[in-house]
């Protein structure tokens, strides 16, 4: 039996066919963008098999050859090895992935629309397919950056017959250039939802020993992401304003922010005058 078919026979279930929390041998990641690729690399290094669903055929073919469409330190060799060993299988067929797995990470893009609001059409499209084709026991993990309240709205859409699909919000806090390292040594793991069993299953898949875990409702989890982004931008903006003032009074901004950052209540991370930051 080919490797791909062999691992797809696995199920994160006990002998009675019920989901086994914390033992998700195979998971689905929908969206092979920056977050999806970093997450897939993290999951395979933790010993899991991943079905990576990508709608763009050109990107799908690139990944199937073991080539990375973006650069991110450490991700390229991990994914090349995973494709070769068939612990990572790239497909455009979400329905096929839903037959093989019982945990789905949604990592599709949410770019700004013309009105500056996030465009959630890609998320909506995935949710529609989940409603139509997901199997009982499937957990939907929302990792795309979405406005607070989105997870609750999606949960309402996935609430009715033939069965309920629990939705868990699990925002990412990655920095460009160190995404894989950030996942392995995360400062915190945020898990939001209203289904404690589903949240425990997600925490077992994405968590690391010793990493603080915040268990809360989905809207609060999404606001933690937005609040973190805003506060990081605020620190850089403040440092830039302070740099302008330093120029006017003849001060050196470098030791100024160093001295400020040594105060543990302020912190040095992100408190630097400059162009900004990425991967937040």
């Amino acid at each position: 039996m080919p490797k791909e078919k062999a691992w797809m026979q696995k199920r994160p279930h006990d002998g009675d066919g019920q989901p086994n929390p914390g033992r998700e041998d195979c998971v689905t990641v929908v969206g092979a963008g920056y977050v999806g690729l970093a997450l897939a690399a993290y999951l395979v290094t933790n010993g899991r098999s991943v079905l990576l669903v990508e709608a763009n055929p050109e990107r799908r073919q690139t990944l199937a050859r073991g080539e990375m469409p973006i650069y991110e330190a450490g991700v390229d060799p991990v994914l090349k090895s995973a494709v070769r060993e068939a612990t990572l299988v790239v497909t455009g067929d979400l329905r096929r992935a839903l037959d093989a797995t019982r945990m789905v990470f949604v990592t599709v893009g949410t770019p700004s629309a013309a009105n500056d609001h996030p465009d959630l059409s890609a998320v909506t499209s995935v949710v529609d397919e989940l409603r139509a084709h997901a199997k009982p026991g499937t957990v939907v993990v929302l990792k795309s950056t979405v406005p607070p309240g989105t997870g609750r709205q999606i949960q309402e859409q996935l609430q009715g017959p033939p069965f309920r699909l629990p939705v868990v919000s699990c925002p990412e806090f990655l920095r460009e250039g160190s995404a894989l390292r950030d996942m392995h040594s995360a400062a915190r793991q945020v898990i939001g939802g209203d289904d404690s069993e589903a949240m425990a299953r997600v925490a077992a898949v994405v968590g690391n020993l010793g990493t603080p875990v915040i268990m809360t409702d989905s809207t609060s989890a999404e606001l933690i992401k937005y609040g973190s982004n805003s506060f990081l931008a605020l620190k850089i903006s403040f440092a830039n304003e302070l740099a302008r003032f330093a120029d006017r009074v003849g001060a050196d901004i470098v030791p100024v922010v160093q001295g400020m950052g040594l105060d543990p209540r302020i912190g040095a991370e992100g408190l630097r005058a400059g162009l900004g930051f990425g991967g937040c």
Side-chain angles (χ1 to χ4, degrees):
M1 178 181 292
K3 287 180 180 178
E4 177 182 335
K5 291 184 179 179
W7 76 254
M8 286 182 65
Q9 296 303 313
K10 299 176 182 177
R11 293 290 187 273
H13 298 141
D14 287 325
D16 59 1
Q18 296 302 309
N20 182 356
R23 242 206 78 230
E24 312 288 337
D25 298 322
C26 316
V27 300
T28 292
V29 175
V30 184
Y34 182 83
V35 175
L37 290 171
L39 176 63
Y42 170 75
L43 292 170
V44 296
T45 57
N46 279 0
R48 304 184 192 279
S49 297
V50 175
L51 266 175
L52 181 59
V53 181
E54 171 56 43
N56 185 300
E58 183 178 347
R59 177 169 286 225
R60 197 163 62 239
Q61 292 167 10
T62 298
L63 290 165
R65 294 193 300 268
E67 300 173 7
M68 278 284 288
I70 62 172
Y71 175 76
E72 177 58 40
V75 172
D76 195 348
V78 169
L79 292 186
K80 281 183 177 178
S81 175
V83 170
R84 186 170 57 250
E85 297 298 321
T87 53
L88 173 69
V89 174
V90 185
T91 179
D93 190 346
L94 177 55
R95 184 172 183 176
R96 171 188 180 223
L98 294 173
D99 285 338
T101 62
R102 295 297 177 267
M103 184 171 290
V104 182
F105 289 87
V106 181
T107 66
V108 295
T110 54
S112 295
N115 59 3
D116 290 331
H117 293 173
D119 180 358
L120 301 180
S121 58
V123 174
T124 302
S125 177
V126 173
V127 171
D128 289 343
E129 285 207 61
L130 291 171
R131 176 74 281 174
H133 303 301
K135 300 297 186 291
T138 298
V139 175
V140 180
V141 189
L142 190 58
K143 222 162 177 54
S144 299
T145 299
V146 294
T150 303
R152 184 176 63 240
Q153 294 170 6
I154 292 174
Q155 182 63 86
E156 291 173 358
Q157 296 175 39
L158 299 178
Q159 193 79 22
F163 48 80
R164 179 181 187 270
L165 291 173
V167 177
V168 175
S169 294
C170 182
E172 53 83 18
F173 303 95
L174 305 180
R175 297 172 296 174
E176 291 181 6
S178 61
L180 189 55
R181 184 177 64 200
D182 287 348
M183 285 190 173
H184 281 289
S185 57
R188 79 287 206 193
Q189 198 62 252
V190 178
I191 311 286
D194 61 9
D195 186 314
S196 58
E197 180 182 346
M199 293 167 68
R201 286 172 62 187
V202 174
V205 169
V206 300
N208 294 302
L209 188 63
T211 298
V213 179
I214 304 297
M215 293 281 194
T216 184
D217 62 276
S218 61
T219 302
S220 297
E222 292 154 356
L223 187 54
I224 289 171
K225 167 66 174 176
Y226 267 61
S228 296
N229 283 11
S230 300
F231 189 75
L232 289 170
L234 176 65
K235 290 185 76 173
I236 294 171
S237 297
F238 181 83
N240 283 330
E241 287 300 312
L242 198 60
R244 293 188 183 95
F245 183 73
D247 287 342
R248 292 182 63 180
V249 299
D252 185 348
I253 189 60
V254 175
V256 169
V257 293
Q258 285 177 341
M260 292 173 58
L262 289 173
D263 186 329
R265 297 170 300 174
I266 298 173
E269 189 68 28
L271 190 68
R272 291 184 297 274
L275 294 176
F277 58 91
C280 63

